[in-house]
Amino acid sequence: MVLNNQTAKLEVGNQVPIATQSSVSTLTDNAPVVNSIEYKDTGVILRVTLRVNEGGLVLMDISQEVSDVAATTSSTLNSPQKRN
């Protein structure tokens, strides 16, 4: 259910943790590595925005996304990356 001029989101999938950044201090020896992690929505994602005009006609804006994860190729981090 969605209200007029609002967007509903239907999602069938997972939230996948993806490492976005890795850093280590150069000031001290044996400093720990600090990773930044973001959770990305993957799977089938459907967004629907409904608009009802004065005459009762319903207009629908629909956008869909099908996404998955793949092995990273842009860095040396051992983390998946989102693929659409």
Side-chain angles (χ1 to χ4, degrees):
M1 186 180 297
V2 64
L3 296 173
N4 186 36
N5 247 0
Q6 298 297 313
T7 300
K9 180 179 175 183
L10 305 169
E11 183 176 338
V12 178
N14 292 315
Q15 285 192 322
V16 178
I18 297 177
T20 58
Q21 191 176 39
S22 181
S23 62
V24 64
S25 174
T26 58
L27 301 177
T28 60
D29 293 334
N30 299 323
V33 175
V34 177
N35 292 317
S36 294
I37 305 293
E38 288 184 10
Y39 285 86
K40 299 290 184 177
D41 295 331
T42 61
V44 178
I45 302 168
L46 181 67
R47 289 180 182 83
V48 179
T49 304
L50 298 178
R51 291 177 184 82
V52 182
N53 68 15
E54 292 176 6
L57 186 65
V58 177
L59 304 171
M60 290 178 42
D61 291 330
I62 301 172
S63 69
Q64 68 176 6
E65 174 185 325
V66 178
S67 59
D68 198 0
V69 292
T72 187
T73 57
S74 60
S75 72
T76 59
L77 291 175
N78 185 15
S79 173
Q81 65 184 16
K82 186 174 178 182
R83 140 180 97 178
N84 290 333

